[in-house]
Amino acid sequence: MPELLLHQALIVDGSGATPAWRGDLLLRGDRIAALGTELHRELDASLPRRDCTGMVLAPGFIDAHSHDDAALITTPEMRPKLSQGVCTVVTGNCGISLLPLLSSEPPPPLNLLAREQFRYPSFTAWRAAVQAAQPAVNALALVGHTALRLRCVSELGRAATAAERATMCALLDQALAEGAMGLSSGTFYAPAAAADATELLALARVAARHGGVYAVHLRDEMAGVMAAIQEAADCAHKAGLPLVISHHKCAGRKQWGHSLQTLALIERLAERQALGLDVYPYLAGSTVLREDLADGLTPIRLTWSEAHPELAGRWLQDIASDWACSEPEAVARLQPGGACYFQMQEEDVSRILAHPLTMIGSDGLPHDRFPHPRLWGAFPRVWAHYGRERGLLSLEQAVHKMSGLTAQRFGLKDRGVLRAGAAADLVLFDPERFTDRADYAQPTLPAIGLEAVWVNGQAAWERGRPLARAGRVLSRE
Ligand code: ZN
Ligand code: CU
């Protein structure tokens, strides 16, 4: 088995508990074989070694919230993620998953994921396609309630009937038995909004039986955010499974400052049930184009439009003034499409990010023509901006939120931490230089300061150069 000694790194183990320490890590095959302060003295001098002086060695980052279901297959190099040090992505968020839907024209919001790739009737079929593509990063899949709904419910304006519920539950049960790790929902979006508590609870119970998690894009992240948190928490509590509140935010000017209340509620709920949340480190959200979000107060920047692809990257306000129409009218003419919505406040984002229950998810949209910069920048930005620059997070805390905490939450026992026997997903970066460069004007600029990445023990990235594609589809151990 190939061995490599990573020599004299600043080791940040992902636990969030151990202070960074200077030492060595021995990599053997796809595992971490040993860690220690004096390994370089104890081991054979002929062993291949790499001097890591001045570099942080940390567990490969885990993207708690991705929409990479199709990207793993169509762009298996996975550059946006690998270039940030992400070794594992959680797919199928917000109720939106590629499986088990069969559709040649997926309606919004499923078209965030892909435009026509909905051809995997089961988890096994999707996994086979991912494995055949050999992606550069690992994947852990959630099954989306919206996808199940579109496949099984004949009239989307109402809750599922008992028979439709049974079909959805059977499909979910099969996917979880085949290796999916949980359920997601997004009742904010029309195809799922009509789901009632019975429908969601029935599915959550199936996921609970398999030891899965339940990730929720809340029904409301604006005025009704408190009730929406309570609704999701009650469902997960009754079903008896861990809840993840996705991309937590207080969106819209009227809600600014409300994270004080939402986090207090989340803390109270966390006393009775397993619960976590994820966030991306930006003030803009991004989703499909919606007329109701064009409120005249929120600056909106187009990320893609099928009707007018050439306008991607432009401000909606400018488009509307060119066309001499209202913003909602411009939205209607640009459909289908997506946009960045500048709807959050810095104090809320910082407060949510710093909370001990919060992990990092990019929510990146890999198929957008002019994407939100979170796709290429979320992970380095957490450290560069909120850690190094502003001192909101220590290095140990930042790494924990991007690795160990996420692994714990999603039930990955041997990832997200550096310890002997764990999977060798590793990231090596210069703590003084590691910085995101993607912004709203140049959203696909890769980060700088990332030295190297190993995925399952194989060198996957070296100073801007992609190497082996060694990702796997992960299942519960
Ligand atoms: Zn979402
Ligand atoms: Cu999402």
Side-chain angles (χ1 to χ4, degrees):
M1 261 191 283
E3 289 189 322
L4 174 66
L5 182 68
L6 299 174
H7 178 39
Q8 286 297 293
L10 185 64
I11 292 179
V12 180
D13 71 2
S15 70
T18 320
W21 54 282
R22 201 153 309 278
D24 307 335
L25 181 148
L26 177 65
L27 191 158
R28 181 184 297 138
D30 65 357
R31 298 277 136 183
I32 297 168
L35 288 148
T37 48
E38 301 293 334
L39 279 187
H40 59 285
R41 277 185 231 285
E42 296 153 23
L43 293 165
D44 189 337
S46 67
L47 196 71
R49 62 180 65 195
R50 175 182 186 131
D51 181 14
C52 300
T53 308
M55 297 289 157
V56 168
L57 181 60
F61 301 144
I62 303 173
D63 188 347
H65 191 107
S66 95
H67 292 289
D68 289 331
D69 304 41
L72 290 160
I73 300 166
T74 56
T75 50
E77 319 77 45
M78 293 296 290
R79 267 177 188 261
K81 296 299 162 74
L82 199 56
S83 65
Q84 299 181 59
V86 169
C87 291
T88 300
V89 296
V90 178
T91 65
N93 278 288
C94 299
I96 308 168
S97 59
L98 216 48
L99 69 110
L101 185 62
L102 302 168
S103 168
S104 54
E105 245 185 285
L110 276 101
N111 54 9
L112 284 180
L113 214 55
R115 304 290 124 87
E116 74 233 332
Q117 273 244 318
F118 290 76
R119 49 169 178 259
Y120 307 104
S122 66
F123 176 83
T124 302
W126 176 78
R127 178 174 50 199
V130 172
Q131 278 166 349
Q134 293 188 311
V137 301
N138 303 309
L140 172 168
L142 306 175
V143 183
H145 161 247
T146 304
L148 289 165
R149 200 158 213 274
L150 282 164
R151 175 144 169 206
C152 306
V153 176
S154 64
E155 287 168 58
L156 295 166
R158 56 154 173 78
T161 63
E164 289 165 346
R165 235 171 19 236
T167 327
M168 288 163 79
C169 285
L171 278 168
L172 176 61
D173 187 60
Q174 185 199 338
L176 292 157
E178 290 173 358
M181 302 283 273
L183 170 71
S184 81
S185 69
T187 48
F188 166 68
Y189 297 106
D196 59 8
T198 314
E199 178 178 334
L200 293 163
L201 180 58
L203 290 166
R205 285 205 161 115
V206 174
R209 242 193 354 258
H210 289 272
V213 300
Y214 179 29
V216 176
H217 178 145
L218 297 173
R219 200 180 277 281
D220 192 337
E221 293 175 312
M222 302 181 86
V225 63
M226 296 289 279
I229 292 171
Q230 190 69 49
E231 179 197 5
D234 287 345
C235 176
H237 182 57
K238 272 187 207 148
L241 85 179
L243 176 70
V244 174
I245 296 173
S246 296
H247 44 62
H248 185 44
K249 61 171 79 76
C250 296
R253 270 166 205 280
K254 286 189 195 130
Q255 278 64 243
W256 287 2
H258 284 191
S259 59
L260 280 171
Q261 286 95 307
T262 60
L263 291 173
L265 172 60
I266 287 168
E267 281 170 17
R268 274 204 306 285
L269 292 165
E271 285 169 21
R272 72 163 186 184
Q273 67 190 102
L275 185 155
L277 48 155
D278 64 69
V279 76
Y280 47 82
Y282 296 90
L283 301 188
S286 185
T287 186
V288 288
L289 272 175
R290 288 175 56 125
E291 285 172 49
D292 61 333
L293 296 178
D295 57 5
L297 296 171
T298 306
I300 298 172
R301 194 166 187 159
L302 196 68
T303 53
W304 65 280
S305 160
E306 222 154 86
H308 291 279
E310 75 285 0
L311 297 181
R314 292 201 61 203
W315 294 97
L316 182 66
Q317 201 182 16
D318 296 340
I319 299 171
S321 96
D322 284 358
W323 290 351
C325 69
S326 70
E327 289 190 15
E329 211 175 303
V331 166
R333 282 160 67 176
L334 290 161
Q335 296 279 17
C340 288
Y341 301 88
F342 291 77
Q343 54 187 183
M344 277 94 86
Q345 187 201 36
E346 183 61 61
E347 284 75 5
D348 285 322
V349 173
S350 301
R351 193 179 290 127
I352 292 167
L353 188 77
H355 196 277
L357 289 171
T358 303
M359 54 196 168
I360 305 305
S362 72
D363 204 4
L365 299 170
H367 307 284
D368 288 6
R369 193 179 165 121
F370 199 84
H372 187 303
R374 65 196 185 187
L375 175 65
W376 286 82
F379 286 79
R381 183 170 166 80
V382 166
W383 167 239
H385 183 65
Y386 288 97
R388 192 176 61 219
E389 249 171 58
R390 292 195 30 211
L392 191 70
L393 304 170
S394 68
L395 182 58
E396 291 85 348
Q397 286 168 330
V399 167
H400 179 58
K401 286 172 176 294
M402 301 193 282
S403 59
L405 180 62
T406 322
Q408 243 169 51
R409 198 60 72 197
F410 286 93
L412 294 175
K413 294 207 177 61
D414 66 354
R415 292 181 199 262
V417 284
L418 300 184
R419 68 172 152 67
D425 288 349
L426 305 171
V427 50
L428 189 68
F429 64 88
D430 179 340
E432 300 306 325
R433 283 187 63 236
F434 190 39
T435 308
D436 57 307
R437 284 191 306 161
D439 60 20
Y440 298 98
Q442 290 184 288
T444 61
L445 282 181
I448 51 165
L450 180 65
E451 186 77 0
V453 181
W454 289 264
V455 176
N456 293 308
Q458 294 199 47
W461 185 265
E462 177 75 43
R463 292 184 194 166
R465 222 158 31 95
L467 301 168
R469 301 205 316 239
R472 298 173 188 166
V473 177
L474 306 178
S475 299
R476 194 165 297 99
E477 291 104 33

